[in-house]
Amino acid sequence: MEIHPMWKNYPSLEKELTKTETLIEESIKLSNKKVQVAILKMVHSGGKMLRPAYQILFSQFGPEQNEEKRIALAAAIETLHTATLIHDDIVDEALTRRNLPTIQSQFGKDIAVYAGDYLFVVCFKLLSDYTSSLKSIQLNSRSMEKILSGELGQMDQRYNLNLTISDYIQNVSGKTAELFGLSCFIGAFESGCSDTFSNKCRNIGVSIGIAFQIIDDILDYSQEENTLGKPVLEDVRQGVYSLPLLYALQKQPESFLPILKKKNKMTAEDVSKIYLLVHKYDGVKKSQKLAKKYTEKALKEIADLPDNELNSAKTIYDITETILLRKN
Amino acid sequence: MEIHPMWKNYPSLEKELTKTETLIEESIKLSNKKVQVAILKMVHSGGKMLRPAYQILFSQFGPEQNEEKRIALAAAIETLHTATLIHDDIVDEALTRRNLPTIQSQFGKDIAVYAGDYLFVVCFKLLSDYTSSLKSIQLNSRSMEKILSGELGQMDQRYNLNLTISDYIQNVSGKTAELFGLSCFIGAFESGCSDTFSNKCRNIGVSIGIAFQIIDDILDYSQEENTLGKPVLEDVRQGVYSLPLLYALQKQPESFLPILKKKNKMTAEDVSKIYLLVHKYDGVKKSQKLAKKYTEKALKEIADLPDNELNSAKTIYDITETILLRKN
């Protein structure tokens, strides 16, 4: 399996991402061969590998250049991301991801629980074998803590009709932005950048992550109406209200409340109504505006990064523009 | 909630275990208050805290005595153990543990997945904040890798009628003994003992863990027949064959095979038959013999430990005798 085509214009990065994927593959050694194969298929399923890409790019700013370590830390982050996906699929009862059957749908929830746990451990193994200080592990643990506390917090807020935009941003900050922030931080920090500079990189990652998640949530409302499928249907029925819905709900609560109050009893027709109402009351438009705000914040901060021989800031800028200005 | 009464004869250990429990409590900070309370109840549910107890006792052999660190590492191990229990309960669909409803039965599998993940992270957070070297984290990761690889391996072997005693011991070594071994190792190593001595402590922990698990599996076959409940029923029906069954099965396969081949279609009556057959064909007796072998191995190695002011070896010997010679 080849690396995602978006990297073909960045040959040296593409090469390191390929090595990252190989190292992940080599680090997964289970005697249960069926699960081993399923996890490897997931690793090779053509994800964008955005988090390791950012980690590698931000590592180009420091004085200490060590490819082996760089690749190992990138592999750790991507493994962590894959672990969270496996567990998210249990929670969402997802049947497929990236056009492959999920681990939970293939082997059941029990295997999926341990498979995700196993990848968490592989992440810590890679980190502790290659990091030069305990600090990255401390930060990794704290980031994961925020991610999981965010997931559990979000579950607590299901069906909460009074959820604010600020609650949403806080959940997104935990759920998605934290790992982007960590990738950028560890990249810079482990290549010998100062704490101050590394934290600046972290902030860039957080802005990228927030914009990334908002755009993902907008995409749910940007499909053709007749392909309106599982994502919107399931999230709204399960009481997970994303930004476009929240904006529209705030503007015209009386149109939404009778439908939303049906909770998981909502029909496909109800979901179609929600879809139209979200568009009618500017939920998508306002969300696009907020995504743009975070995108511009990130791009502005990236433009301020120092020059280096590899032109890293330019690459980071281009990639960020590409992923955050997709179809919105 | 007080600490388990088995420690009341060891006041200084009891005090440190109480502090360990308090630190675990302080380390769990979730905005989802319901889950927070449920996890804390589980922490306080009167488990024996054997792993942190061994860790604390083995830490008394080294030259570096630092109570804060010792307590933190003990809390890390117990938190890890609790995380695995929460995930095990998902896999086993267990309704109760230590007479409390399990997290999964109270809040569903989705919350239980993240709650276990969260505790894994708390473990790594405590470890990385208090350990003095990366080595303990590397070893912790490797131990967890073995534990999870063991769990996944065991799942692969469900309903395997050709499972050998050696397969069983290998599974138990991963599932239970690894964490006992790690507790003893980290205790010694982090208090400044040599690698050689720390590894010796690890081996003691592994023997204790194997004996402990065999005895646990024997207990399933030692209940009054009319209280023959969930444990045996569920394990055998789910295709998890423990030592007493394996020994008896090897001796008289033709009596067992017609029943076991029903797999999860086995009735309560079938399970009663299995129970009687296991006793009839010496499954319990032979298991007791093997448990005794590992117990004696552990006690012999403990007796060889050096003297110190706190009489640690004596305490370790007494405790090990108490827990491994219970009712068999």
Side-chain angles (χ1 to χ4, degrees):
Chain A
M1 183 78 191
E2 291 195 355
I3 234 69
H4 195 278
M6 75 173 280
W7 305 115
K8 71 171 188 296
N9 296 328
Y10 309 94
S12 77
L13 181 58
E14 187 182 36
K15 209 170 132 195
E16 296 207 350
L17 287 174
T18 306
K19 286 186 187 171
T20 302
E21 202 178 277
T22 305
L23 178 59
I24 296 173
E25 188 178 329
E26 288 166 0
S27 305
I28 296 167
K29 283 180 194 148
L30 286 170
S31 60
N32 186 327
K33 289 304 162 204
K34 282 180 289 187
V35 177
Q36 165 93 2
V37 168
I39 294 180
L40 290 183
K41 268 195 189 161
M42 193 168 167
V43 169
H44 288 296
S45 65
K48 294 194 196 73
M49 300 186 84
L50 288 176
R51 294 153 193 82
Y54 277 113
Q55 182 161 333
I56 290 169
L57 289 167
F58 276 94
S59 79
Q60 294 170 349
F61 290 101
E64 296 160 24
Q65 293 303 317
N66 173 343
E67 195 194 66
E68 191 189 5
K69 174 178 165 182
R70 186 161 67 232
I71 304 279
L73 299 180
I77 288 284
E78 184 68 6
T79 304
L80 174 56
H81 176 55
T82 308
T84 62
L85 295 181
I86 292 177
H87 280 180
D88 287 349
D89 287 339
I90 300 176
V91 172
D92 300 339
E93 306 197 340
L95 297 176
T96 60
R97 176 179 289 278
R98 298 182 199 144
N99 297 317
L100 280 179
T102 57
I103 307 275
Q104 74 97 10
S105 70
Q106 282 181 80
F107 300 104
K109 293 187 183 186
D110 40 6
I111 295 261
V113 169
Y114 292 140
D117 290 353
Y118 175 75
L119 290 187
F120 275 127
V121 170
V122 171
C123 161
F124 277 104
K125 200 178 62 163
L126 284 165
L127 270 182
S128 60
D129 283 351
Y130 288 93
T131 185
S132 24
S133 80
L134 281 162
K135 183 154 180 178
S136 288
I137 299 185
Q138 288 163 358
L139 286 163
N140 195 64
S141 305
R142 276 175 178 61
S143 288
M144 282 180 64
E145 191 183 15
K146 280 189 204 162
I147 293 170
L148 291 161
S149 178
E151 293 281 8
L152 285 163
Q154 181 179 305
M155 291 184 141
D156 209 20
Q157 293 163 355
R158 283 187 181 190
Y159 300 113
N160 178 358
L161 295 164
N162 300 313
L163 200 71
T164 65
I165 306 300
S166 145
D167 292 332
Y168 168 85
I169 294 293
Q170 205 187 320
N171 286 341
V172 163
S173 297
K175 208 174 66 167
T176 311
E178 187 61 32
L179 201 51
F180 275 93
L182 180 71
S183 307
C184 300
F185 180 94
I186 288 188
F189 182 75
E190 289 277 349
S191 68
C193 295
S194 70
D195 280 19
T196 315
F197 182 79
S198 303
N199 277 320
K200 206 170 148 179
C201 299
R202 188 184 176 285
N203 290 338
I204 294 176
V206 168
S207 297
I208 294 173
I210 293 175
F212 185 80
Q213 185 62 52
I214 295 176
I215 292 167
D216 220 53
D217 289 340
I218 292 172
L219 283 177
D220 286 344
Y221 289 92
S222 310
Q223 307 167 52
E224 292 297 313
E225 206 197 331
N226 58 2
T227 64
L228 232 196
K230 225 184 143 290
V232 188
L233 182 84
E234 270 315 299
D235 271 8
V236 178
R237 286 183 66 211
Q238 288 185 13
V240 179
Y241 304 147
S242 71
L243 190 64
L245 175 56
L246 292 176
Y247 271 132
L249 171 63
Q250 286 185 351
K251 189 161 176 182
Q252 200 75 7
E254 60 278 21
S255 303
F256 286 91
L257 294 180
I259 308 178
L260 293 179
K261 281 181 173 162
K262 294 184 184 179
K263 296 190 174 177
N264 61 5
K265 301 281 187 298
M266 282 174 64
T267 63
E269 205 188 336
D270 289 329
V271 176
S272 288
K273 269 189 217 156
I274 293 283
Y275 179 91
L276 294 173
L277 287 169
V278 165
H279 279 276
K280 185 170 173 190
Y281 295 111
D282 292 337
V284 171
K285 208 179 288 173
K286 282 190 183 163
S287 300
Q288 283 167 339
K289 217 172 137 188
L290 193 62
K292 200 165 167 234
K293 198 185 111 189
Y294 281 102
T295 302
E296 281 170 358
K297 180 167 180 284
L299 290 175
K300 192 171 163 295
E301 287 164 346
I302 294 166
D304 280 347
L305 288 170
D307 283 336
N308 64 5
E309 274 183 23
L310 291 166
N311 237 332
S312 309
K314 170 81 170 62
T315 306
I316 293 171
Y317 194 100
D318 290 350
I319 287 168
T320 306
E321 223 180 4
T322 306
I323 60 166
L324 297 185
L325 299 179
R326 56 181 171 147
K327 284 202 225 159
N328 62 328
Chain B
M1 183 77 194
E2 290 195 355
I3 235 66
H4 195 279
M6 75 174 279
W7 305 116
K8 69 172 189 297
N9 295 329
Y10 309 94
S12 78
L13 182 58
E14 188 183 36
K15 208 170 134 196
E16 296 208 350
L17 287 174
T18 306
K19 286 186 187 172
T20 302
E21 203 178 276
T22 305
L23 178 59
I24 296 173
E25 189 177 329
E26 289 167 358
S27 306
I28 295 168
K29 283 179 193 148
L30 286 171
S31 61
N32 187 326
K33 289 304 161 204
K34 281 180 291 187
V35 177
Q36 166 93 4
V37 168
I39 295 180
L40 290 183
K41 269 195 187 161
M42 192 166 167
V43 169
H44 289 296
S45 64
K48 294 194 196 72
M49 299 186 83
L50 287 176
R51 295 154 194 81
Y54 276 114
Q55 183 161 331
I56 289 169
L57 289 166
F58 276 94
S59 79
Q60 294 170 350
F61 291 101
E64 296 160 24
Q65 293 303 319
N66 173 342
E67 194 194 66
E68 190 188 6
K69 176 177 165 182
R70 187 162 67 232
I71 303 280
L73 299 180
I77 288 285
E78 184 68 6
T79 304
L80 174 56
H81 176 55
T82 309
T84 63
L85 295 182
I86 292 178
H87 280 182
D88 287 350
D89 286 339
I90 299 177
V91 172
D92 300 339
E93 305 195 341
L95 297 177
T96 59
R97 176 178 289 279
R98 297 180 198 146
N99 297 318
L100 279 178
T102 58
I103 306 276
Q104 73 99 10
S105 71
Q106 282 181 83
F107 300 104
K109 295 188 181 185
D110 39 7
I111 295 261
V113 169
Y114 291 139
D117 290 353
Y118 175 75
L119 290 187
F120 275 127
V121 169
V122 171
C123 160
F124 276 105
K125 201 179 62 163
L126 285 164
L127 270 182
S128 60
D129 282 351
Y130 288 92
T131 184
S132 25
S133 81
L134 282 162
K135 184 154 179 177
S136 288
I137 299 185
Q138 288 163 358
L139 286 164
N140 195 63
S141 305
R142 275 175 180 61
S143 288
M144 284 180 65
E145 191 183 15
K146 280 189 204 161
I147 294 170
L148 291 161
S149 178
E151 293 281 9
L152 285 164
Q154 181 178 306
M155 291 186 139
D156 209 21
Q157 293 164 353
R158 283 187 181 192
Y159 300 115
N160 179 359
L161 295 164
N162 300 312
L163 200 72
T164 64
I165 306 301
S166 143
D167 292 332
Y168 168 85
I169 294 294
Q170 205 187 320
N171 287 340
V172 163
S173 298
K175 211 175 64 169
T176 311
E178 188 61 35
L179 202 51
F180 276 93
L182 180 71
S183 306
C184 301
F185 180 93
I186 288 189
F189 183 75
E190 289 277 349
S191 67
C193 295
S194 70
D195 280 19
T196 314
F197 182 79
S198 303
N199 277 319
K200 207 171 149 179
C201 298
R202 187 184 176 285
N203 289 338
I204 294 175
V206 168
S207 297
I208 294 173
I210 293 175
F212 184 79
Q213 185 62 52
I214 295 176
I215 292 166
D216 220 53
D217 289 339
I218 292 172
L219 282 178
D220 286 343
Y221 289 92
S222 310
Q223 308 167 51
E224 291 298 312
E225 206 197 331
N226 58 0
T227 63
L228 232 197
K230 227 186 142 285
V232 189
L233 182 84
E234 270 316 299
D235 271 8
V236 178
R237 286 183 67 211
Q238 288 184 13
V240 179
Y241 304 147
S242 71
L243 192 62
L245 175 56
L246 292 176
Y247 271 131
L249 170 64
Q250 285 185 353
K251 189 162 179 182
Q252 200 75 7
E254 60 278 20
S255 302
F256 286 91
L257 294 180
I259 308 177
L260 292 179
K261 279 181 175 162
K262 293 185 185 178
K263 297 189 173 177
N264 60 7
K265 301 281 187 300
M266 283 173 63
T267 62
E269 204 187 337
D270 289 329
V271 176
S272 289
K273 270 188 216 156
I274 294 283
Y275 180 92
L276 295 172
L277 287 168
V278 165
H279 279 275
K280 183 169 174 190
Y281 295 111
D282 292 338
V284 171
K285 206 178 290 174
K286 283 189 183 164
S287 300
Q288 283 165 339
K289 216 172 137 188
L290 193 62
K292 198 163 168 237
K293 199 184 112 190
Y294 281 101
T295 302
E296 282 170 357
K297 182 169 180 284
L299 290 175
K300 191 170 163 296
E301 287 165 345
I302 294 167
D304 281 347
L305 288 171
D307 284 336
N308 64 6
E309 275 184 22
L310 291 166
N311 237 334
S312 310
K314 171 81 170 64
T315 306
I316 293 172
Y317 194 99
D318 290 349
I319 288 169
T320 305
E321 223 179 5
T322 306
I323 59 167
L324 297 184
L325 299 180
R326 53 179 174 149
K327 284 202 225 163
N328 62 328

